[in-house]
Amino acid sequence: MHNNYYVLRQLSAALGNRLRGSVLSQCFSQCADELILQFETTTKPFFIRASLQPDFCCLSFPDNFKRARKNSIDLFPEIIGGRVNAVRQSLNDRSFRLEFDHQYTLLFKMYGNRANIILFNQSTPEKIFRNHLLQDWSISLQALDKSIDFTKPAFESNLNDLTRYYVTFDRSVWDYLTGHDFYSKSAEEKWELFTSVLNILENPVYSINREKDGVSFSLLPQKDPINSFTDPVVALQHFFVLHHTTATFNSEKRQAIRLVETQLHQIQKTISAMASRLIEIEQDSPFSMWADLLMANLSTIPSGQNGVILTDFYHDNKPVEIKLKKELTAQKNAEVYYRKAKNREQERRKLEEAIALKKQQADALQNQREHLEQADDVLAVRKFMSENNLMPPDKTTAVVLPYREVEFNGFKIWIGKNAQSNDSLTQKFTYKEDLWLHAKDVSGSHVVIKYQAGKPFPKPVIERAAQLAAWYSKRKTDSLCPVTVTQKKFVRKRKGDPPGAVRVDREQTLLVEPKP
């Protein structure tokens, strides 16, 4: 309501008292959609700060304003040094104008996101502040005055279309009337309430009020206002400052809560992944049981076998097939399975410990979020964020992953971005069970298919990864490309090799068509 016609009417009268006879000494901008005007009066400089941002349009009147040394531009030089002859309010319109000598007029058009400041030479627009509002070049000063009949006969004849006829009443006025049961009253009662509200608007007390997400400015009686004023200049200055500080607080508070929630989401995601891995381990191959069965049947298992079927005395003597390494004896195969069982148990224990730790971190973040939600000023938010090391990370030092990711049939495929990224991907981000691919005999990206416990790499997934390896290589334009496929454990980098260069000790070759 701070740009309501009734506010501007009182404001233009107050500005006339302050500015009549003053001289405009500076008119400049140093922020987008913000204009600063400095007037020299008989006592001290008077400033108008016109903030015309699309999301918040407001005039304010700071006691002083220090101009920046850089990124500041002078505007409307035609009226610098000009004397203010009068301040005139447009009739029933949200605009007023400063009339200078030498026939120049500066119009303040306070139309929300279409607000603008236009310089007129006599009655012709000469310059506009917000240049993208091209329709303002056609504004006529005379046409801004609008005639509205506030008599009782006019009111009664427009009873069915009051909101359209009384354009000086904004939504807050109609909301106020609605809150006083305006539409359920008789015609006479409506007129009485209407005239009482009109009288308040014409002789207002300006109040600043606390809202859910900020502050509001009102000319109508409010319950428990933050502040009340009789001078519109003082009221608007207080409102602008409080709105700015409140908006800053709300923005930083939302950012802080969002940062905590992001970390909380990441931890919950990690807990979920760990829990899934824990289930996989518990349901995975029973290495210890297989080792026991092998040890119990050492004498019956011949050497050189790829596998053996034994009676599972753990599960009702059902037959179970156990894979073997044919170059090892049955006892050595059992030792391999015992070692795998031990490693799997260690992994299970570490996962349980890590899950417990992550849950503690999640609980701490939950408490931090609740604390931030209760914060009531920006200093409290900043102090809490600093004390808990929750400040947003510096974007200039953000970690950039050395690969791009593609998901295919439930498998993650990682593709190196350049030679240095290839080294990082292969040496730091992959494990020996991952599958490694590269276009044969040419430079290109290292491609990795991430291993999933207990799941063999499907042929379609390998073929898709090979197509990507071919595409991200110097063979991308070939009709067919040979691609090296091997486990990462067979890939090594020798000392002195150039970036991206590796040695492959064991490989297979797949012929595919390059595809992105």
Side-chain angles (χ1 to χ4, degrees):
M1 197 176 188
H2 58 284
N3 290 323
N4 179 281
Y5 164 70
Y6 297 97
V7 176
L8 296 178
R9 189 172 72 171
Q10 301 292 335
L11 174 65
S12 59
L15 290 178
N17 294 333
R18 286 171 167 85
L19 296 179
R20 192 174 295 110
S22 67
V23 175
L24 180 65
S25 59
Q26 288 196 85
C27 182
F28 61 92
S29 179
Q30 58 192 38
C31 298
D33 295 328
E34 182 176 271
L35 185 68
I36 308 298
L37 299 97
Q38 178 177 340
F39 298 86
E40 305 304 325
T41 70
T42 56
T43 54
K44 63 177 183 178
F46 184 85
F47 295 89
I48 297 179
R49 179 178 188 167
S51 298
L52 308 183
Q53 285 84 5
D55 58 340
F56 181 66
C57 165
C58 186
L59 298 177
S60 60
F61 310 93
D63 288 335
N64 53 64
F65 193 95
K66 187 174 181 180
R67 183 172 183 176
R69 294 182 179 181
K70 296 182 179 180
N71 300 322
S72 178
I73 183 172
D74 290 308
L75 295 173
F76 303 136
E78 295 85 354
I79 54 175
I80 299 298
R83 189 174 300 276
V84 179
N85 292 331
V87 179
R88 295 191 182 278
Q89 173 67 43
S90 301
L91 182 62
N92 297 318
D93 186 75
R94 289 180 295 155
S95 64
F96 66 91
R97 51 191 179 268
L98 308 184
E99 295 181 350
F100 291 85
D101 51 12
H102 303 104
Q103 298 181 325
Y104 278 105
T105 297
L106 195 63
L107 176 71
F108 289 73
K109 179 175 73 86
M110 306 305 292
Y111 290 6
N113 60 8
R114 294 183 294 113
N116 207 354
I117 298 175
I118 304 107
L119 178 66
F120 286 80
N121 186 350
Q122 294 185 349
S123 59
T124 304
E126 189 168 293
K127 290 183 177 179
I128 62 177
F129 176 53
R130 299 178 72 197
N131 293 312
H132 66 283
L133 298 175
L134 300 179
Q135 67 273 27
D136 288 350
W137 287 106
S138 61
I139 286 180
S140 167
L141 290 175
Q142 293 73 23
L144 291 173
D145 291 330
K146 300 176 178 64
S147 178
I148 301 176
D149 187 351
F150 285 92
T151 64
K152 185 175 183 180
F155 175 82
E156 291 174 343
S157 64
N158 288 281
L159 268 177
N160 295 325
D161 203 14
L162 293 175
T163 56
R164 185 182 297 273
Y165 184 72
Y166 294 106
V167 294
T168 56
F169 283 21
D170 62 15
R171 186 194 309 174
S172 64
V173 177
W174 294 113
D175 288 345
Y176 181 85
L177 288 168
T178 301
H180 287 74
D181 301 322
F182 177 78
Y183 293 101
S184 63
K185 296 182 182 296
S186 66
E188 184 63 30
E189 290 172 330
K190 286 180 179 177
W191 169 248
E192 290 178 0
L193 181 56
F194 178 85
T195 54
S196 68
V197 169
L198 187 61
N199 183 60
I200 294 173
L201 294 174
E202 292 177 342
N203 303 277
V205 172
Y206 310 96
S207 64
I208 302 174
N209 312 285
R210 184 74 64 186
E211 301 288 344
K212 180 181 179 181
D213 296 317
V215 293
S216 65
F217 188 93
S218 180
L219 283 71
L220 299 167
Q222 301 291 319
K223 184 179 180 181
D224 300 325
I226 300 172
N227 270 316
S228 296
F229 306 88
T230 55
D231 186 335
V233 173
V234 176
L236 283 170
Q237 174 60 20
H238 277 79
F239 171 66
F240 179 85
V241 172
L242 191 55
H243 178 279
H244 178 73
T245 55
T246 303
T248 300
F249 163 63
N250 287 336
S251 175
E252 293 197 20
K253 182 175 180 178
R254 285 193 297 268
Q255 182 184 17
I257 291 174
R258 188 161 54 246
L259 181 63
V260 170
E261 287 177 341
T262 297
Q263 295 183 13
L264 181 60
H265 174 72
Q266 291 173 343
I267 286 179
Q268 289 172 338
K269 188 176 179 180
T270 301
I271 292 174
S272 178
M274 288 178 175
S276 297
R277 177 57 182 158
L278 197 58
I279 293 173
E280 286 182 6
I281 290 174
E282 292 171 351
Q283 297 178 347
D284 211 347
S285 303
F287 298 133
S288 180
M289 182 194 72
W290 289 352
D292 290 345
L293 293 178
L294 290 174
M295 292 299 293
N297 293 275
L298 288 178
S299 60
T300 62
I301 301 174
S303 300
Q305 300 291 316
N306 288 322
V308 63
I309 297 176
L310 299 175
T311 299
D312 183 0
F313 47 75
Y314 286 106
H315 298 92
D316 300 327
N317 293 324
K318 294 180 180 179
V320 58
E321 184 176 2
I322 303 174
K323 292 182 179 180
L324 303 174
K325 293 183 177 181
K326 64 180 180 180
E327 65 273 16
L328 301 180
T329 64
Q331 183 173 345
K332 290 295 183 181
N333 273 292
E335 291 175 2
V336 169
Y337 280 126
Y338 279 131
R339 186 166 58 252
K340 286 185 176 182
K342 181 180 178 181
N343 292 340
R344 191 60 53 85
E345 176 60 24
Q346 290 177 347
E347 183 181 1
R348 183 192 64 77
R349 187 170 61 253
K350 288 180 179 179
L351 278 172
E352 289 177 343
E353 293 172 353
I355 289 173
L357 178 60
K358 290 294 181 184
K359 286 182 176 180
Q360 291 178 2
Q361 294 173 352
D363 290 341
L365 286 170
Q366 289 276 21
N367 292 334
Q368 289 172 353
R369 181 173 61 183
E370 293 173 3
H371 187 95
L372 283 169
E373 288 173 344
Q374 295 172 4
D376 55 7
D377 67 77
V378 69
L379 293 179
V381 172
R382 291 173 181 173
K383 181 180 179 182
F384 183 81
M385 295 292 285
S386 177
E387 290 176 347
N388 290 276
N389 296 318
L390 292 171
M391 302 308 290
D394 185 354
K395 293 182 179 180
T396 59
T397 59
V399 177
V400 178
L401 292 175
Y403 58 84
R404 58 179 64 87
E405 181 177 293
V406 173
E407 188 165 330
F408 185 78
N409 287 359
F411 280 79
K412 292 180 180 179
I413 302 174
W414 291 354
I415 307 161
K417 295 179 178 179
N418 51 47
Q420 287 76 18
S421 296
N422 283 340
D423 279 346
S424 182
L425 169 61
T426 299
Q427 303 303 318
K428 299 179 180 179
F429 286 81
T430 59
Y431 300 94
K432 62 181 183 180
E433 295 90 354
D434 295 338
L435 205 60
W436 185 92
L437 303 92
H438 191 280
K440 194 171 182 63
D441 300 329
V442 293
S443 59
S445 294
H446 294 191
V447 175
V448 172
I449 307 175
K450 296 301 293 177
Y451 171 73
Q452 296 183 29
K455 295 182 180 180
F457 295 104
K459 185 177 179 181
V461 174
I462 298 174
E463 290 177 348
R464 179 68 188 116
Q467 290 173 343
L468 290 167
W471 178 263
Y472 289 99
S473 77
K474 290 194 173 181
R475 292 184 183 270
K476 68 180 294 184
T477 58
D478 293 357
S479 56
L480 291 173
C481 171
V483 175
T484 295
V485 182
T486 187
Q487 286 183 290
K488 191 271 173 183
K489 63 184 178 182
F490 298 122
V491 180
R492 57 190 173 92
K493 189 173 183 67
R494 297 172 298 185
K495 186 176 181 179
D497 280 347
V502 294
R503 180 180 179 85
V504 179
D505 294 330
R506 187 184 300 178
E507 67 180 92
Q508 294 179 343
T509 301
L510 191 63
L511 202 60
V512 296
E513 178 185 358
K515 287 185 179 181

PDB file of all heavy atoms in Angstrom, residues 41-65:
ATOM      1  N   THR A  41      18.790  22.474   0.069  1.00  0.00           N
ATOM      2  CA  THR A  41      17.768  23.320   0.688  1.00  0.00           C
ATOM      3  C   THR A  41      18.452  24.382   1.546  1.00  0.00           C
ATOM      4  O   THR A  41      19.690  24.442   1.634  1.00  0.00           O
ATOM      5  CB  THR A  41      16.822  22.479   1.551  1.00  0.00           C
ATOM      6  OG1 THR A  41      17.519  22.017   2.716  1.00  0.00           O
ATOM      7  CG2 THR A  41      16.301  21.268   0.773  1.00  0.00           C
ATOM      8  N   THR A  42      17.682  25.195   2.212  1.00  0.00           N
ATOM      9  CA  THR A  42      18.260  26.263   3.038  1.00  0.00           C
ATOM     10  C   THR A  42      18.900  25.722   4.311  1.00  0.00           C
ATOM     11  O   THR A  42      19.670  26.431   4.966  1.00  0.00           O
ATOM     12  CB  THR A  42      17.163  27.282   3.425  1.00  0.00           C
ATOM     13  OG1 THR A  42      16.090  26.586   4.079  1.00  0.00           O
ATOM     14  CG2 THR A  42      16.641  27.993   2.184  1.00  0.00           C
ATOM     15  N   THR A  43      18.621  24.477   4.662  1.00  0.00           N
ATOM     16  CA  THR A  43      19.178  23.907   5.893  1.00  0.00           C
ATOM     17  C   THR A  43      20.222  22.829   5.593  1.00  0.00           C
ATOM     18  O   THR A  43      21.395  22.998   5.874  1.00  0.00           O
ATOM     19  CB  THR A  43      18.055  23.324   6.770  1.00  0.00           C
ATOM     20  OG1 THR A  43      17.281  22.395   5.990  1.00  0.00           O
ATOM     21  CG2 THR A  43      17.142  24.441   7.273  1.00  0.00           C
ATOM     22  N   LYS A  44      19.809  21.745   4.992  1.00  0.00           N
ATOM     23  CA  LYS A  44      20.729  20.637   4.709  1.00  0.00           C
ATOM     24  C   LYS A  44      20.258  19.914   3.450  1.00  0.00           C
ATOM     25  O   LYS A  44      19.119  20.073   3.015  1.00  0.00           O
ATOM     26  CB  LYS A  44      20.788  19.665   5.884  1.00  0.00           C
ATOM     27  CG  LYS A  44      19.471  18.985   6.195  1.00  0.00           C
ATOM     28  CD  LYS A  44      19.621  17.984   7.338  1.00  0.00           C
ATOM     29  CE  LYS A  44      18.305  17.244   7.599  1.00  0.00           C
ATOM     30  NZ  LYS A  44      18.453  16.240   8.665  1.00  0.00           N
ATOM     31  N   PRO A  45      21.149  19.091   2.837  1.00  0.00           N
ATOM     32  CA  PRO A  45      20.741  18.376   1.629  1.00  0.00           C
ATOM     33  C   PRO A  45      19.562  17.433   1.911  1.00  0.00           C
ATOM     34  O   PRO A  45      19.447  16.865   3.003  1.00  0.00           O
ATOM     35  CB  PRO A  45      21.992  17.590   1.240  1.00  0.00           C
ATOM     36  CG  PRO A  45      23.124  18.322   1.876  1.00  0.00           C
ATOM     37  CD  PRO A  45      22.568  18.876   3.156  1.00  0.00           C
ATOM     38  N   PHE A  46      18.713  17.286   0.906  1.00  0.00           N
ATOM     39  CA  PHE A  46      17.568  16.373   1.003  1.00  0.00           C
ATOM     40  C   PHE A  46      17.710  15.349  -0.121  1.00  0.00           C
ATOM     41  O   PHE A  46      17.941  15.701  -1.278  1.00  0.00           O
ATOM     42  CB  PHE A  46      16.250  17.141   0.857  1.00  0.00           C
ATOM     43  CG  PHE A  46      15.031  16.282   1.034  1.00  0.00           C
ATOM     44  CD1 PHE A  46      14.519  16.024   2.291  1.00  0.00           C
ATOM     45  CD2 PHE A  46      14.397  15.707  -0.078  1.00  0.00           C
ATOM     46  CE1 PHE A  46      13.394  15.226   2.457  1.00  0.00           C
ATOM     47  CE2 PHE A  46      13.281  14.910   0.074  1.00  0.00           C
ATOM     48  CZ  PHE A  46      12.780  14.670   1.350  1.00  0.00           C
ATOM     49  N   PHE A  47      17.564  14.070   0.239  1.00  0.00           N
ATOM     50  CA  PHE A  47      17.780  12.989  -0.725  1.00  0.00           C
ATOM     51  C   PHE A  47      16.472  12.252  -1.012  1.00  0.00           C
ATOM     52  O   PHE A  47      15.684  11.988  -0.101  1.00  0.00           O
ATOM     53  CB  PHE A  47      18.801  11.984  -0.192  1.00  0.00           C
ATOM     54  CG  PHE A  47      20.176  12.542  -0.008  1.00  0.00           C
ATOM     55  CD1 PHE A  47      20.551  13.143   1.192  1.00  0.00           C
ATOM     56  CD2 PHE A  47      21.108  12.478  -1.031  1.00  0.00           C
ATOM     57  CE1 PHE A  47      21.820  13.662   1.376  1.00  0.00           C
ATOM     58  CE2 PHE A  47      22.386  12.981  -0.871  1.00  0.00           C
ATOM     59  CZ  PHE A  47      22.744  13.582   0.334  1.00  0.00           C
ATOM     60  N   ILE A  48      16.299  11.917  -2.277  1.00  0.00           N
ATOM     61  CA  ILE A  48      15.239  10.984  -2.677  1.00  0.00           C
ATOM     62  C   ILE A  48      15.922   9.761  -3.284  1.00  0.00           C
ATOM     63  O   ILE A  48      16.724   9.883  -4.212  1.00  0.00           O
ATOM     64  CB  ILE A  48      14.280  11.591  -3.716  1.00  0.00           C
ATOM     65  CG1 ILE A  48      13.545  12.794  -3.135  1.00  0.00           C
ATOM     66  CG2 ILE A  48      13.256  10.530  -4.173  1.00  0.00           C
ATOM     67  CD1 ILE A  48      12.601  13.467  -4.120  1.00  0.00           C
ATOM     68  N   ARG A  49      15.595   8.628  -2.740  1.00  0.00           N
ATOM     69  CA  ARG A  49      16.123   7.366  -3.275  1.00  0.00           C
ATOM     70  C   ARG A  49      14.952   6.627  -3.911  1.00  0.00           C
ATOM     71  O   ARG A  49      14.055   6.141  -3.221  1.00  0.00           O
ATOM     72  CB  ARG A  49      16.729   6.529  -2.147  1.00  0.00           C
ATOM     73  CG  ARG A  49      17.279   5.178  -2.585  1.00  0.00           C
ATOM     74  CD  ARG A  49      17.897   4.475  -1.386  1.00  0.00           C
ATOM     75  NE  ARG A  49      18.609   3.270  -1.746  1.00  0.00           N
ATOM     76  CZ  ARG A  49      19.431   2.621  -0.940  1.00  0.00           C
ATOM     77  NH1 ARG A  49      19.638   3.083   0.303  1.00  0.00           N
ATOM     78  NH2 ARG A  49      20.057   1.532  -1.335  1.00  0.00           N
ATOM     79  N   ALA A  50      14.974   6.546  -5.236  1.00  0.00           N
ATOM     80  CA  ALA A  50      13.901   5.873  -5.969  1.00  0.00           C
ATOM     81  C   ALA A  50      14.364   4.474  -6.349  1.00  0.00           C
ATOM     82  O   ALA A  50      15.162   4.297  -7.272  1.00  0.00           O
ATOM     83  CB  ALA A  50      13.538   6.669  -7.218  1.00  0.00           C
ATOM     84  N   SER A  51      13.890   3.483  -5.612  1.00  0.00           N
ATOM     85  CA  SER A  51      14.212   2.078  -5.904  1.00  0.00           C
ATOM     86  C   SER A  51      13.052   1.494  -6.700  1.00  0.00           C
ATOM     87  O   SER A  51      11.965   1.286  -6.150  1.00  0.00           O
ATOM     88  CB  SER A  51      14.417   1.297  -4.607  1.00  0.00           C
ATOM     89  OG  SER A  51      15.501   1.824  -3.866  1.00  0.00           O
ATOM     90  N   LEU A  52      13.304   1.248  -7.972  1.00  0.00           N
ATOM     91  CA  LEU A  52      12.225   0.830  -8.869  1.00  0.00           C
ATOM     92  C   LEU A  52      12.422  -0.603  -9.354  1.00  0.00           C
ATOM     93  O   LEU A  52      12.160  -0.927 -10.508  1.00  0.00           O
ATOM     94  CB  LEU A  52      12.146   1.791 -10.067  1.00  0.00           C
ATOM     95  CG  LEU A  52      12.056   3.292  -9.729  1.00  0.00           C
ATOM     96  CD1 LEU A  52      11.907   4.115 -10.995  1.00  0.00           C
ATOM     97  CD2 LEU A  52      10.898   3.560  -8.774  1.00  0.00           C
ATOM     98  N   GLN A  53      12.915  -1.477  -8.476  1.00  0.00           N
ATOM     99  CA  GLN A  53      13.074  -2.883  -8.848  1.00  0.00           C
ATOM    100  C   GLN A  53      11.712  -3.495  -9.162  1.00  0.00           C
ATOM    101  O   GLN A  53      10.711  -3.140  -8.505  1.00  0.00           O
ATOM    102  CB  GLN A  53      13.744  -3.672  -7.718  1.00  0.00           C
ATOM    103  CG  GLN A  53      15.238  -3.410  -7.585  1.00  0.00           C
ATOM    104  CD  GLN A  53      15.547  -2.183  -6.778  1.00  0.00           C
ATOM    105  OE1 GLN A  53      14.643  -1.570  -6.226  1.00  0.00           O
ATOM    106  NE2 GLN A  53      16.814  -1.812  -6.687  1.00  0.00           N
ATOM    107  N   PRO A  54      11.649  -4.397 -10.121  1.00  0.00           N
ATOM    108  CA  PRO A  54      10.358  -5.000 -10.489  1.00  0.00           C
ATOM    109  C   PRO A  54       9.644  -5.677  -9.321  1.00  0.00           C
ATOM    110  O   PRO A  54       8.417  -5.674  -9.255  1.00  0.00           O
ATOM    111  CB  PRO A  54      10.748  -6.020 -11.573  1.00  0.00           C
ATOM    112  CG  PRO A  54      12.023  -5.504 -12.151  1.00  0.00           C
ATOM    113  CD  PRO A  54      12.744  -4.851 -11.005  1.00  0.00           C
ATOM    114  N   ASP A  55      10.418  -6.250  -8.384  1.00  0.00           N
ATOM    115  CA  ASP A  55       9.785  -6.965  -7.271  1.00  0.00           C
ATOM    116  C   ASP A  55       9.525  -6.082  -6.060  1.00  0.00           C
ATOM    117  O   ASP A  55       8.816  -6.482  -5.129  1.00  0.00           O
ATOM    118  CB  ASP A  55      10.642  -8.166  -6.850  1.00  0.00           C
ATOM    119  CG  ASP A  55      12.043  -7.750  -6.436  1.00  0.00           C
ATOM    120  OD1 ASP A  55      12.471  -6.645  -6.814  1.00  0.00           O
ATOM    121  OD2 ASP A  55      12.715  -8.530  -5.736  1.00  0.00           O
ATOM    122  N   PHE A  56      10.093  -4.873  -6.059  1.00  0.00           N
ATOM    123  CA  PHE A  56       9.857  -3.962  -4.931  1.00  0.00           C
ATOM    124  C   PHE A  56      10.136  -2.534  -5.382  1.00  0.00           C
ATOM    125  O   PHE A  56      11.282  -2.147  -5.571  1.00  0.00           O
ATOM    126  CB  PHE A  56      10.724  -4.318  -3.739  1.00  0.00           C
ATOM    127  CG  PHE A  56      10.486  -3.425  -2.545  1.00  0.00           C
ATOM    128  CD1 PHE A  56       9.269  -3.452  -1.883  1.00  0.00           C
ATOM    129  CD2 PHE A  56      11.474  -2.555  -2.097  1.00  0.00           C
ATOM    130  CE1 PHE A  56       9.039  -2.630  -0.782  1.00  0.00           C
ATOM    131  CE2 PHE A  56      11.253  -1.737  -1.001  1.00  0.00           C
ATOM    132  CZ  PHE A  56      10.034  -1.773  -0.342  1.00  0.00           C
ATOM    133  N   CYS A  57       9.073  -1.767  -5.520  1.00  0.00           N
ATOM    134  CA  CYS A  57       9.166  -0.383  -5.960  1.00  0.00           C
ATOM    135  C   CYS A  57       8.836   0.505  -4.763  1.00  0.00           C
ATOM    136  O   CYS A  57       7.757   0.383  -4.182  1.00  0.00           O
ATOM    137  CB  CYS A  57       8.202  -0.145  -7.119  1.00  0.00           C
ATOM    138  SG  CYS A  57       7.885   1.577  -7.479  1.00  0.00           S
ATOM    139  N   CYS A  58       9.775   1.410  -4.396  1.00  0.00           N
ATOM    140  CA  CYS A  58       9.543   2.214  -3.201  1.00  0.00           C
ATOM    141  C   CYS A  58      10.418   3.465  -3.236  1.00  0.00           C
ATOM    142  O   CYS A  58      11.565   3.417  -3.694  1.00  0.00           O
ATOM    143  CB  CYS A  58       9.857   1.404  -1.949  1.00  0.00           C
ATOM    144  SG  CYS A  58       9.443   2.237  -0.400  1.00  0.00           S
ATOM    145  N   LEU A  59       9.875   4.562  -2.741  1.00  0.00           N
ATOM    146  CA  LEU A  59      10.651   5.780  -2.534  1.00  0.00           C
ATOM    147  C   LEU A  59      11.081   5.842  -1.079  1.00  0.00           C
ATOM    148  O   LEU A  59      10.317   5.473  -0.175  1.00  0.00           O
ATOM    149  CB  LEU A  59       9.809   7.017  -2.868  1.00  0.00           C
ATOM    150  CG  LEU A  59       9.318   7.150  -4.311  1.00  0.00           C
ATOM    151  CD1 LEU A  59       8.434   8.387  -4.456  1.00  0.00           C
ATOM    152  CD2 LEU A  59      10.482   7.215  -5.285  1.00  0.00           C
ATOM    153  N   SER A  60      12.316   6.308  -0.841  1.00  0.00           N
ATOM    154  CA  SER A  60      12.794   6.498   0.524  1.00  0.00           C
ATOM    155  C   SER A  60      13.590   7.785   0.570  1.00  0.00           C
ATOM    156  O   SER A  60      13.980   8.338  -0.461  1.00  0.00           O
ATOM    157  CB  SER A  60      13.630   5.300   0.991  1.00  0.00           C
ATOM    158  OG  SER A  60      14.759   5.115   0.150  1.00  0.00           O
ATOM    159  N   PHE A  61      13.873   8.227   1.793  1.00  0.00           N
ATOM    160  CA  PHE A  61      14.435   9.562   1.964  1.00  0.00           C
ATOM    161  C   PHE A  61      15.520   9.529   3.051  1.00  0.00           C
ATOM    162  O   PHE A  61      15.303   9.980   4.180  1.00  0.00           O
ATOM    163  CB  PHE A  61      13.318  10.554   2.319  1.00  0.00           C
ATOM    164  CG  PHE A  61      12.151  10.450   1.370  1.00  0.00           C
ATOM    165  CD1 PHE A  61      11.062   9.630   1.670  1.00  0.00           C
ATOM    166  CD2 PHE A  61      12.154  11.122   0.162  1.00  0.00           C
ATOM    167  CE1 PHE A  61      10.001   9.507   0.790  1.00  0.00           C
ATOM    168  CE2 PHE A  61      11.097  11.007  -0.718  1.00  0.00           C
ATOM    169  CZ  PHE A  61      10.013  10.185  -0.409  1.00  0.00           C
ATOM    170  N   PRO A  62      16.703   8.988   2.709  1.00  0.00           N
ATOM    171  CA  PRO A  62      17.774   8.881   3.702  1.00  0.00           C
ATOM    172  C   PRO A  62      18.292  10.263   4.116  1.00  0.00           C
ATOM    173  O   PRO A  62      18.254  11.221   3.338  1.00  0.00           O
ATOM    174  CB  PRO A  62      18.855   8.078   2.974  1.00  0.00           C
ATOM    175  CG  PRO A  62      18.598   8.311   1.515  1.00  0.00           C
ATOM    176  CD  PRO A  62      17.103   8.461   1.392  1.00  0.00           C
ATOM    177  N   ASP A  63      18.809  10.367   5.337  1.00  0.00           N
ATOM    178  CA  ASP A  63      19.361  11.630   5.821  1.00  0.00           C
ATOM    179  C   ASP A  63      20.618  12.020   5.056  1.00  0.00           C
ATOM    180  O   ASP A  63      20.924  13.202   4.899  1.00  0.00           O
ATOM    181  CB  ASP A  63      19.669  11.535   7.322  1.00  0.00           C
ATOM    182  CG  ASP A  63      18.403  11.512   8.156  1.00  0.00           C
ATOM    183  OD1 ASP A  63      17.365  12.025   7.687  1.00  0.00           O
ATOM    184  OD2 ASP A  63      18.436  10.953   9.274  1.00  0.00           O
ATOM    185  N   ASN A  64      21.368  11.006   4.623  1.00  0.00           N
ATOM    186  CA  ASN A  64      22.548  11.275   3.793  1.00  0.00           C
ATOM    187  C   ASN A  64      22.788  10.078   2.894  1.00  0.00           C
ATOM    188  O   ASN A  64      22.233   8.990   3.123  1.00  0.00           O
ATOM    189  CB  ASN A  64      23.784  11.569   4.658  1.00  0.00           C
ATOM    190  CG  ASN A  64      24.035  10.474   5.689  1.00  0.00           C
ATOM    191  OD1 ASN A  64      24.321   9.323   5.348  1.00  0.00           O
ATOM    192  ND2 ASN A  64      23.894  10.824   6.963  1.00  0.00           N
ATOM    193  N   PHE A  65      23.597  10.264   1.879  1.00  0.00           N
ATOM    194  CA  PHE A  65      23.873   9.175   0.932  1.00  0.00           C
ATOM    195  C   PHE A  65      25.271   9.392   0.374  1.00  0.00           C
ATOM    196  O   PHE A  65      25.561  10.449  -0.202  1.00  0.00           O
ATOM    197  CB  PHE A  65      22.848   9.157  -0.205  1.00  0.00           C
ATOM    198  CG  PHE A  65      22.887   7.897  -1.023  1.00  0.00           C
ATOM    199  CD1 PHE A  65      22.034   6.849  -0.735  1.00  0.00           C
ATOM    200  CD2 PHE A  65      23.781   7.746  -2.074  1.00  0.00           C
ATOM    201  CE1 PHE A  65      22.073   5.670  -1.479  1.00  0.00           C
ATOM    202  CE2 PHE A  65      23.835   6.584  -2.820  1.00  0.00           C
ATOM    203  CZ  PHE A  65      22.970   5.544  -2.520  1.00  0.00           C
TER     204      PHE A  65
END
